[in-house]
Amino acid sequence: MSREPSAPPVQGNTLQILSIVCFTFLGFMSIGIPMAVLPGLIHHDLGFSTLVAGLVIGLQYLVTLLVRPFSCRVIDSAGPKPALVYGLIGCALGGLLMLLATLWPALPLLSLLALVLSRLVLGAAHSVLGASAIAWGIGQVGSAGTARVISWNGIASYGAIGLGAPLGVWLVERYGLPWMGASVLLIALCGLALAWRKVGVPVVAGERLGLMSVLGRVSPYGLTMALGTLGYGTIAAFITLYYDSRGWSWAAYAMTAFGLSFIAARLLFAQAIDRLGGYRVGIACLLVEGGGLLLLWAAPGPLSAMLGAGLSGFGFSLVFPALGVEAVKSTPASNRGAAIGAYSLFLDLALGVAGPLIGLLIGSHGFRSIFLVCALASFLGLGLTLALQYRSTRQPSETETELATVEVD
């Protein structure tokens, strides 16, 4: 197995970690910048239905779901740095296709085709981008810094989404639609220039089991996490159109409230998983997220809806890592990587189906109903978490005592 030349990994500081996860931030701007612009472009400017808008938006997450197993093999075989470079190249290409789509407003089908191709490319790029940054960061600072790498990588990804949404709106309002794609292209090219100069880390050798061999063990936790993820997928895809249907302004800032609340929760309460356990943190987070979604459903104005989005982001922040800790405990320590890969598939699945399913629901019951349905999904996930917690007290995981460090994004 080939290895990249690199100094042996040592315990690093926060600046070392930030020097790696900054690439996640730059790459995930390709999600944030078009987030508040793309639904209106497809529905209003190009004249397609909300179902089509949901399908196009959700397509990216479905591609990530399908490509992720291959992406994990790329990281294992080629190394984290080359895999991350591939992801940034995909982000640049996706931005170029978005730029081309906005140059043909009189040809809506051609523009839609370019947007579909852009979502396909971005889905493949994001299947490898975040995971490769985590692997690179851990290889850089050593296993003792795993928790900090994962925490900061999550902050980088959702921070990019939260900051990118208003930036995309501002660019389009000030300079025009082509700047949605042009900005994604330029940011990705800057990331490539920076990544190219950095030294990679060695490929981690060792036998890895197939993804399907651990899927059955982690699926209860993945399903529960997916129920909590529907709210995020719905806010990301339809918050702009929801605000528009109510005659409200500041839709982009609702996504910002979500992202900033996500970051705050990760910074303030990430260590709670170690102290209280994944089940307790997951229960609390799903309860807060469900309450935020209910507030979005019942909101009388844009500010209360923004507060609901913020509460949803605060609750959603630790759902993935909290349940992921318990998912990894259900497998032998030698298969932790496969467990994380199988568990992450449920995140991709939830984000992929949220767009088209919620688009259908909007067509039959209107925009407000979508947040009520997502709140009920969060509370259903809360019930499943309680059931899993009860099961764990009756039948402890055979590998629970082996778990020292869990790689959860």
Side-chain angles (χ1 to χ4, degrees):
M1 182 178 296
S2 61
R3 296 176 179 267
E4 297 181 17
S6 166
V10 297
Q11 172 114 21
N13 55 33
T14 301
L15 289 179
Q16 286 179 292
I17 296 172
L18 292 178
S19 72
I20 302 299
V21 302
C22 70
F23 298 116
T24 297
F25 179 86
L26 296 175
F28 272 71
M29 289 294 282
S30 63
I31 294 179
I33 287 175
M35 179 167 289
V37 179
L38 199 58
L41 170 62
I42 297 172
H43 184 51
H44 296 304
D45 295 271
L46 299 182
F48 294 97
S49 67
T50 56
L51 175 59
V52 172
L55 286 170
V56 173
I57 292 168
L59 182 62
Q60 175 176 328
Y61 304 111
L62 286 175
V63 172
T64 300
L65 167 69
L66 296 174
V67 176
R68 189 179 290 277
F70 172 76
S71 300
C72 293
R73 289 196 293 270
V74 171
I75 296 172
D76 291 338
S77 60
K81 178 184 173 179
L84 186 141
V85 168
Y86 299 152
L88 288 173
I89 290 173
C91 290
L93 180 57
L96 176 62
L97 288 167
M98 273 191 279
L99 172 61
L100 294 176
T102 58
L103 299 179
W104 305 316
L107 300 170
L109 285 176
L110 188 60
S111 295
L112 184 67
L113 176 61
L115 290 175
V116 168
L117 291 174
S118 174
R119 303 301 283 182
L120 289 172
V121 172
L122 288 172
H126 285 281
S127 71
V128 70
L129 191 62
S132 58
I134 291 174
W136 192 354
I138 294 172
Q140 181 73 39
V141 304
S143 60
T146 296
R148 286 186 296 151
V149 173
I150 293 169
S151 178
W152 278 108
N153 192 74
I155 291 171
S157 59
Y158 288 98
I161 293 171
L163 295 175
L167 175 61
V169 171
W170 180 80
L171 286 171
V172 169
E173 289 179 348
R174 186 171 180 85
Y175 300 108
L177 271 172
W179 274 92
M180 175 183 67
S183 60
V184 170
L185 172 60
L186 291 174
I187 290 171
L189 290 177
C190 288
L192 279 169
L194 292 173
W196 199 265
R197 299 167 61 90
K198 289 191 68 67
V199 177
V201 295
V203 174
V204 178
E207 182 182 0
R208 291 185 180 271
L209 299 179
L211 189 61
M212 294 302 296
S213 64
V214 295
L215 186 60
R217 293 193 179 192
V218 305
S219 58
Y221 308 95
L223 176 60
T224 304
M225 178 269 296
L227 289 169
T229 303
L230 285 177
Y232 162 63
T234 299
I235 291 173
F238 292 106
I239 192 67
T240 303
L241 295 179
Y242 174 61
Y243 264 63
D244 185 64
S245 72
R246 303 293 298 273
W248 298 339
S249 301
W250 308 336
Y253 294 102
M255 199 62 219
T256 300
F258 182 98
L260 292 178
S261 297
F262 179 98
I263 293 172
R266 285 233 167 167
L267 288 175
L268 295 174
F269 299 109
Q271 300 303 316
I273 298 174
D274 294 331
R275 298 195 308 268
L276 303 175
Y279 291 120
R280 291 181 180 178
V281 174
I283 289 167
C285 287
L286 287 166
L287 183 61
V288 172
E289 183 186 3
L293 290 165
L294 283 179
L295 181 55
L296 266 170
W297 167 65
L303 292 179
S304 54
M306 193 179 301
L307 176 59
L311 284 174
S312 299
F314 197 89
F316 175 69
S317 176
L318 296 178
V319 169
F320 186 99
L323 296 174
V325 165
E326 305 301 336
V328 175
K329 287 181 181 179
S330 69
T331 63
S334 60
N335 295 299
R336 288 174 190 165
I340 291 298
Y343 178 70
S344 298
L345 290 177
F346 289 89
L347 175 67
D348 301 329
L349 180 62
L351 294 175
V353 303
L357 288 182
I358 297 301
L360 283 173
L361 185 62
I362 291 171
S364 57
H365 294 87
F367 281 95
R368 286 189 63 193
S369 63
I370 62 180
F371 298 108
L372 176 60
V373 170
C374 289
L376 295 176
S378 291
F379 293 135
L380 177 58
L382 172 61
L384 290 176
T385 306
L386 288 168
L388 289 170
Q389 183 185 39
Y390 175 76
R391 188 184 71 171
S392 71
T393 62
R394 302 292 299 273
Q395 189 177 11
S397 169
E398 66 185 56
T399 60
E400 186 172 355
T401 58
E402 297 179 315
L403 185 63
T405 304
V406 179
E407 299 175 10
V408 180
D409 183 10

